[in-house]
Amino acid sequence: MKSFTYNAAASRIIFGVGAVKSLEAEIKRLGAERALVLSTPEQKSSAEQIASLLGPRSAGIFAQATMHVPIETARAARAVAQELKADCAVAIGGGSTTGLAKAISLESALPIIAIPTTYAGSEVTPIFGLTEGGIKKTGSDPKVIPRVVIYDPALTISMPMNLTLASGMNAIAHAAEGLYAEDSNPVISLIAEEGIRAMSAGLRRVGEAPDDMEVRSNCLYGAWLCGIVLGSVGVALHHKLCHTVGGSFNLPHAETHAVILPHAVGFNAPAVPDAMQRIARALGAPHAAQGLYDLGKSLRLPQSLQAIGMKSEDLDRAAELALQSPYWNPRPFTRGEVRELLGRAYDGLPPDA
Ligand code: NAD
């Protein structure tokens, strides 16, 4: 066994249907009294419900969270937190809302209680992103990790089905790359395999049974595990391609992950047979990359970059960008190989594994 370092985040996790009712007790436990409730404009009514649940412990609502945390929004939220003398932030929503809470905490060290309503996993990672002048910069700081995460599967039922499925594949991508990350370790590999198993099992059933709490619980449990992987070990070619392609050409975040994942995993397959075996076993499929492609197909997720808005004339530039400051990857790659991979993903072909 290779030597390894394992970092465990000190978050407190409350999981279960109806778990959101414990929010006030969790705020008290932190010694806080004035919570600023954060959401997107689309989920403002959820933020209002949270605020009314909290009564006097709610200091106010800031419902302007948006994708990729524009610096202007972060500054506005920081100012509101200060003005209202908030002593904690409650983020109800997906990665965009959690991201805004992290941007506040980065400057003020305000403790965050996250109530995730998608499968993005940001609530258990130290990773933050801020977008200034159209450029998204990411960083990592343990101080932005939410102190408490309340996973309530009932709150995920309202998630639109396309977001449910794409967000689930996004979570699987975190776990798949964690299995072959440069700093992978045996504990995280166990968590990653179980995360892929739980999430893929949940996703296979959620289309027919969107209100089934057992199914939703499986997905959210899987999302938590996959998020732990993202927060603990590095990522590789797949995430690099998603950040490059998604960020530079303004493609939808979770769908971009869903399209690229089988291709990136297929490319890496010869270099990391043990990781491939684990992914395949978790999916209950003979092959990892083809298994991921087939899962996306069976869920009727978009399978091509073309279908999610990429232009063929941008493929060369995307390959070029992917070669700039590349992430570590278990299999070295050339510009030509990345261009070919992106070409297959653009056309929606099965992975070349
Ligand atoms: P999102 O947070 O952008 O949400 C998408 C839309 O769905 C929003 O309008 C939101 O209000 C709505 N929504 C969310 N949950 C809902 C629900 N249950 N019911 C109804 N509507 C709901 O989407 P996301 O995929 O969760 O997050 C994407 C963002 O998170 C990206 O910016 C990505 O870079 C970031 N992210 C960060 C990390 C990290 O570790 N820092 C990890 C994963 C993703």
Side-chain angles (χ1 to χ4, degrees):
M1 187 182 285
K2 69 171 191 175
S3 305
F4 64 87
T5 303
Y6 171 62
N7 287 308
S11 310
R12 175 174 157 88
I13 309 294
I14 319 285
F15 190 103
V17 176
V20 71
K21 292 194 196 100
S22 64
L23 176 61
E24 193 185 356
E26 290 303 319
I27 292 175
K28 273 191 204 157
R29 210 175 160 273
L30 286 178
E33 288 175 351
R34 295 181 59 75
L36 174 63
V37 183
L38 306 170
S39 75
T40 61
E42 294 81 12
Q43 285 182 288
K44 191 171 179 198
S45 62
S46 302
E48 284 165 352
Q49 280 167 23
I50 293 291
S52 80
L53 185 75
L54 292 181
R57 269 183 212 272
S58 161
I61 294 173
F62 183 88
Q64 289 166 47
T66 181
M67 192 90 139
H68 304 314
V69 197
I71 187 78
E72 300 76 17
T73 313
R75 286 188 184 129
R78 286 167 184 161
V80 169
Q82 228 174 10
E83 208 177 285
L84 295 174
K85 298 190 172 50
D87 55 9
C88 70
V90 173
I92 175 146
S96 298
T97 305
T98 310
L100 178 62
K102 287 176 170 182
I104 299 174
S105 183
L106 192 62
E107 287 220 330
S108 60
L110 210 62
I112 302 169
I113 300 181
I115 310 175
T117 63
T118 71
Y119 305 139
S122 172
E123 65 281 354
V124 282
T125 83
I127 306 160
F128 61 88
L130 275 169
T131 304
E132 189 163 10
I135 297 170
K136 183 170 178 177
K137 291 204 178 116
T138 56
S140 181
D141 190 329
K143 98 170 160 232
V144 306
I145 300 178
R147 297 269 291 277
V148 181
V149 183
I150 300 180
Y151 284 110
D152 188 335
L155 301 180
T156 62
I157 285 180
S158 56
M159 198 179 359
M161 189 48 68
N162 57 353
L163 180 61
T164 296
L165 299 173
S167 183
M169 287 299 277
N170 185 187
I172 289 177
H174 303 330
E177 288 233 301
L179 283 165
Y180 55 68
E182 188 174 19
D183 51 354
S184 65
N185 67 65
V187 180
I188 285 300
S189 294
L190 284 175
I191 294 175
E193 187 174 338
E194 173 66 357
I196 297 172
R197 189 206 58 74
M199 181 59 87
S200 59
L203 291 181
R204 284 195 182 97
R205 293 195 49 216
V206 74
E208 296 154 19
D211 301 344
D212 185 320
M213 286 303 173
E214 198 50 40
V215 171
R216 289 286 182 176
S217 297
N218 246 310
C219 291
L220 199 54
Y221 165 64
W224 169 44
L225 298 183
C226 294
I228 294 174
V229 178
L230 179 69
S232 307
V233 296
V235 287
L237 178 64
H238 167 75
H239 281 77
K240 174 71 189 179
L241 290 176
C242 290
H243 293 161
T244 307
V245 176
S248 307
F249 305 104
N250 205 20
L251 304 181
H253 175 82
E255 285 83 354
T256 308
H257 275 273
V259 172
I260 291 185
L261 184 62
H263 300 279
V265 166
F267 179 80
N268 282 329
V272 281
D274 182 54
M276 294 302 123
Q277 218 177 13
R278 283 180 179 269
I279 296 170
R281 188 165 58 210
L283 293 170
H287 299 288
Q290 186 64 42
L292 290 166
Y293 183 81
D294 292 343
L295 177 63
K297 194 169 179 183
S298 71
L299 300 176
R300 296 205 188 92
L301 277 164
Q303 295 221 277
S304 71
L305 292 175
Q306 187 177 18
I308 58 170
M310 181 127 186
K311 305 261 180 301
S312 61
E313 58 267 29
D314 287 332
L315 288 170
D316 285 339
R317 209 166 87 74
E320 213 59 74
L321 288 169
L323 267 278
Q324 289 170 9
S325 59
Y327 295 6
W328 178 89
N329 195 56
R331 182 179 163 192
F333 53 87
T334 63
R335 187 197 165 283
E337 284 167 331
V338 171
R339 175 64 183 78
E340 193 184 326
L341 185 162
L342 289 173
R344 292 186 76 84
Y346 179 82
D347 290 328
L349 296 172
D352 188 13

